[in-house]
Amino acid sequence: MRKKVWASLAAMVAAALAFSACTASGSTTSTSASAGGNVTLEFAQWWEPELPAGSLRTLMDQFEAANPGIKVKLISGPYASTKEQVVAGAAAGTMSDVVGLDGAWVSDFVKQGSLTNLSTAMTDAKFDASQLAAQVKIKGSTYMIPVANFVYPMFVNNDVLTKAGISALPTNRTEFAAAAKAIAKSGTTSGWILPLDTATPNGIQNDFMSWVWASGGSMLKDGQPNLVGNQGVKDVMAFVKDLYDSGAIAKGTFTLKEQDKVNQFTNGQVGMMVDSLAHVNLIRQQNANLKFTVAAIPTADGYTGKGALPYASWGIGIANNSKHQAEAFKLVSFLMGKDVNAKICSLAHAFPGNTGAVPDFVNNDPAFKQAFDLFQKSNLTNEFTGLPVAEDLMRSFDNELQKYLAGKESADEALTAAQAAWTKSFAA
Amino acid sequence: MTSTPTSAAPPLLKGGGKGSTAMLRKIRKVALPYGYLTPTVVLLTILMIIPIVMVVGYSMMNNVIMIKNPVFVGFQHYVEILTSDAFRNALQNTLFFDIVSVVVHLLLGFGFAMMLNSPMLGKVTKSIFRTIYVLPWLFTVAIIAVLWRLLLEPTGVINYLLMTFHLTTTQIEWLSNPDIALYAVTFINIWSGYPFYMTSLLAGLQGIPKDYYEAAEVDGASGWQKLIYITLPQLRPIIIAMALLDFIWTTQQFALIWMTTGGGPLGTTEMLSTYTYKFAFSTYQFGSAAASAVIILVISMVLTYLYVRAQKVKY
């Protein structure tokens, strides 16, 4: 009887130990090592659904063939769910070994200690960082490397512009405003579309601040919010308000999302928009007859400096909780290699993260050729990259901009309120 | 394996064996109900109690999840939320959204149920209407949101019809105008939710004995009197239960708001659910998000208590 009791107790202790071991292993790493000694890396990203079917897996197969003993498990989902998954993984310490990143997330993950310092990883692996087009750094250390860059130029519907009696592409704000108003007057088409939905407030980054950056302006000073008294931002606000009040902007602007913008432009309901170059193929698929031109975002009148193109990236980073840092960096190096990077960018219709890579679509397609020329001539700018709670910064600015456009507060009041919200977020 | 006592065994031992068997039976009898309950208790503990306790714990910690060593801050998050204008705005919007949705759901659902229960309509007509009326219930929230976004676009079908029939001269910004966005999302929610009432009330109507109406007719009762004194009292338990459930579900409505207006424009459609989500996944303030979620939980628990009490009255 006593033996049975001891045996039962021993079994319970063993079960408890096994359970706690499982829990502990689950909380510290997401990698696994198979019996054959293979390392399996998890790679969480939203890229696979956006690339042609099977193409990312093919690249992973190439990587596995070149690196015997390393397997890659792709964990794919739409952008929004990947973000939530990465946030939850970062919180629980179960982040995938290699993660697809948006520049807007980096600061918060670094603060949380979830990302590996890639500067150290590059040094350890003797990786030539000079081949990288950009690196997202926090306090001097790299935490994200942009793999593919999606620039946001201006798209113009050629037929709509011609119908409105405008013969040349607008190059400054006065010309743009005149064109937008002329388009709006010429029929049922709107001149410009500005999506300001607060659920996904990236319209502030892509469609509003891009005008500030295009003319050499900035929303920051020494890395801190600089909105109050910022003439560059205030001028763009006045420019947008003028278009809004004149009815040149597509209606419904306060709840329009990015996909609404693309849909309306594709359907010919809007004459001009600022949008990702990644949507060129989508627009063509949905409306093969649409004739459009890709151009630089118009600058402030009289501005002669170098233009800037806003951009968003498919970035990559390594989880701090990964037990296979060296193997994970091998995957990063593979994706940033000249040929592989060119391949990914060709598939995604993006511009490369490796300075030596030239995606093939650049030479085959006039729209992409125009954009690539712009890309090479312009400064790539996205001041939200690397900022804390970047999406929330966009949202708080969005709320104030909406109040300003609705006539509920002045530009100065809007900028003061937005600055207060931003300062609070920066301090937190 | 079991052992059978031999006849050579001492009488004391035999007696002790009987006693222990009886004791085992007694223990088994007492333990049996707990054994049946165990799977439920374990599941409830894992799926409900532990998460709720964790969220309540998070709500009293500062920067929880985002930093490794969060600090206990007591009720600070609760005080901040309950005294903030944004929370009050979200609470007001949620109350409006809930009350209007529940009342109109009930009226529409009851009206349609009465119509489908009417002897004046033929079977085929009833089947056609029943199929049409139940359609909104078949769509998922995502489809409802996309559908109504398209319909209510300034250049959408609704505005086209209104302008064609000269009911308006300009394109109405249904979801983007701060003055009408809350009414628009409430309307969408009403459209998507009334079939729940309709089907439940129709079942209730069909369960009312016809004798009651025949007796009322003999007594010379009018149609209105039959409605007030027979139909509504008979449906009362169903109406109360559905109204409370609907209130709870509508309070927790997130997807529809998020996919149509995102809480905008200018916060006019901000609900407690979207307010909480933004804390968690926009500002990464999981402590505040947890506090906000606990407040919603408390509101839901009050409603649940009322629901359970109503059910007890029923039975």
Side-chain angles (χ1 to χ4, degrees), chain B residues 132-291:
Chain B
I132 293 170
Y133 288 155
V134 89
L135 271 179
W137 212 20
L138 304 181
F139 297 125
T140 61
V141 180
I143 291 174
I144 291 167
V146 172
L147 185 73
W148 279 100
R149 273 184 68 89
L150 290 171
L151 288 171
L152 294 175
E153 262 185 10
T155 53
V157 175
I158 304 284
N159 274 339
Y160 173 78
L161 291 174
L162 291 175
M163 291 172 82
T164 303
F165 293 110
H166 304 291
L167 295 170
T168 176
T169 51
T170 55
Q171 292 173 337
I172 299 169
E173 296 175 277
W174 297 101
L175 295 169
S176 304
N177 184 336
D179 296 329
I180 52 177
L182 184 58
Y183 302 111
V185 290
T186 308
F187 172 81
I188 300 171
N189 190 54
I190 288 166
W191 180 86
S192 65
Y194 76 80
F196 167 63
Y197 281 79
M198 188 190 74
T199 46
S200 307
L201 290 173
L202 183 59
L205 284 171
Q206 288 169 346
I208 300 174
K210 287 190 175 142
D211 307 359
Y212 293 1
Y213 293 105
E214 286 165 7
E217 265 176 41
V218 170
D219 291 342
S222 66
W224 176 254
Q225 284 171 323
K226 280 190 268 186
L227 175 75
I228 298 295
Y229 296 111
I230 300 173
T231 310
L232 288 180
Q234 289 294 312
L235 292 179
R236 191 169 163 267
I238 301 176
I239 291 172
I240 291 173
M242 282 194 311
L244 286 169
L245 279 177
D246 192 26
F247 205 94
I248 294 168
W249 293 338
T250 311
T251 304
Q252 295 166 351
Q253 180 63 271
F254 168 77
L256 183 71
I257 304 295
W258 194 248
M259 285 190 271
T260 50
T261 60
L266 302 176
T268 50
T269 63
E270 190 82 279
M271 303 288 161
L272 290 176
S273 53
T274 52
Y275 174 79
T276 305
Y277 179 87
K278 284 175 186 171
F279 263 132
F281 290 102
S282 178
T283 62
Y284 305 121
Q285 292 177 36
F286 288 95
S288 299

Side-chain angles (χ1 to χ4, degrees), chain A residues 83-84 87 90-91 104-105 108-109 111-113 197-200 244 250-257 260 264 269 389 391-392 395 399 402-403 406 408 428, chain B residues 63 65-68 149-150 153-155 170-173 175-179 258-267 277-278 280-286:
Chain A
K83 181 191 170 191
E84 285 170 13
V87 169
W105 312 344
D108 302 297
F109 290 150
K111 201 186 287 177
Q112 201 180 10
D197 180 57
T198 50
T200 45
Y244 181 79
K251 285 192 180 267
T253 194
F254 291 170
T255 50
L256 285 177
K257 298 173 191 288
D260 298 320
Q264 291 201 25
Q269 294 172 300
V389 289
E391 189 184 288
D392 195 54
R395 184 171 288 121
N399 283 326
Q402 289 192 15
K403 285 181 197 167
K408 293 186 187 297
Chain B
N63 268 346
I65 293 178
M66 293 308 288
I67 58 169
K68 282 180 181 161
R149 273 184 68 89
L150 290 171
E153 262 185 10
T155 53
T170 55
Q171 292 173 337
I172 299 169
E173 296 175 277
L175 295 169
S176 304
N177 184 336
D179 296 329
W258 194 248
M259 285 190 271
T260 50
T261 60
L266 302 176
Y277 179 87
K278 284 175 186 171
F281 290 102
S282 178
T283 62
Y284 305 121
Q285 292 177 36
F286 288 95

Side-chain angles (χ1 to χ4, degrees), chain A residues 21 39 74 78 82 91 95 101 117 133 204 240 260 286 332 369 373:
Chain A
V39 169
L74 291 175
T82 301
M95 211 185 218
L101 293 171
N117 184 334
I204 292 299
V240 172
D260 298 320
Q286 293 185 348
V332 173
K369 181 76 176 72
D373 292 344

